[in-house]
Amino acid sequence: MLEPVRATRFVTPLREGGSLPGIVEADDLGTYVAKFRGAGQGLKVLVAEAIVGELARALHVPTPRLVVIDLPAAIARYEADEEVQDLLSASVGRNLGVDFLPGSFGYDGSRPPTPEAAADIIWLDSFTANVDRTWANPNLLVWHGTTWAIDHGAALYFHHSWPRREPDPGRFAALPFEASKHVLADIAGPVGGAHERLAPRVTDALVTTILESVPDDWLEPTPWLPDPGAARQAYAAHLRARLDNSPAWLPGGTT
Ligand SMILES: Nc1ncnc2c1ncn2[C@@H]1O[C@H](COP(=O)(O)OP(=O)(O)O)[C@@H](O)[C@H]1O
Ligand SMILES: [Mg+2]
């Protein structure tokens, strides 16, 4: 899980993404979409991507393999574009890498997933409170005829309040999910069925393993979470509380 690799070359920025991700080559001969630690959205977006991406993989929701990309300072020095150089200089160290899916295209409804696969994605988004999968911003790619879920940086947004407020798993547990604007709402099978399929697979052991794979230095200390272990416990408590409070947050009319 989240194998470490070392960046060997910055290829090009991906200007369509809001966070200025970029294509990077690494020493395992892989090509990755890098989500940079120095981008404006900060480290929490990387944490959400890692946790929800690994949850997706464990639930057999297709999603590209994730790695941790170590970016050496030398790569930033050789970048000619000033905006990109600033971003790379601010991102020396551990970044998130998403396996690049060559030839994939943005989801347009022309090759829809099965009703079950669509319901599974809506369930994952409901569980992790990911509102970032609408027609305006599908964050789904079609690759080899299959729908792949990408970009989970907006999920688990409760953590953005952590610098200011004590973590509150109960609040997250009760948060309803509005699925009517979800890009797959019209074609998905019953989300209640997805809940029965997927919820039992989200065990404490799975969540612990996933959280262990998140690099310590992405887990920023706060007054209530002074070290990475405390932050991991807080994520685990939020996910456990939300599961225990199901089906309260399942999208209405879809069960
Ligand atoms: N693994 C990937 N393979 C191929 N293209 C990708 C991949 N990940 C992202 N992209 C492309 O980059 C765009 C932005 O990526 P995304 O993860 O949505 O970043 P952002 O957080 O900036 O929205 C996507 O819409 C897609 O076109
Ligand atoms: Mg996106």
Side-chain angles (χ1 to χ4, degrees), residues 14 16-19 21 33 35 98-101 104 139 141 150-151:
L14 271 176
E16 70 233 67
S19 58
V33 173
K35 300 294 187 81
V98 185
D99 191 25
F100 180 68
L101 306 182
S104 61
N139 287 318
L141 297 177
I150 61 162
D151 193 2

Side-chain angles (χ1 to χ4, degrees), residues 218-234:
W218 291 0
L219 298 165
E220 299 160 292
T222 76
W224 294 275
L225 305 170
D227 57 60
R232 290 192 179 93
Q233 275 178 22

Side-chain angles (χ1 to χ4, degrees), residues 107 118 122 133 135 179-189 191 254:
Y107 184 78
I122 295 183
R133 214 165 337 252
W135 277 110
S180 63
K181 300 230 167 61
H182 196 283
V183 61
L184 300 176
D186 290 343
I187 61 155
V191 183
T254 51

Side-chain angles (χ1 to χ4, degrees), residues 144-186:
H144 288 272
T146 296
T147 305
W148 295 69
I150 61 162
D151 193 2
H152 301 110
L156 310 180
Y157 53 78
F158 55 80
H159 57 183
H160 292 290
S161 73
W162 283 356
R164 301 179 310 277
R165 246 190 278 144
E166 187 173 5
D168 185 354
R171 185 186 163 110
F172 178 60
L175 200 70
F177 187 78
E178 169 60 60
S180 63
K181 300 230 167 61
H182 196 283
V183 61
L184 300 176
D186 290 343

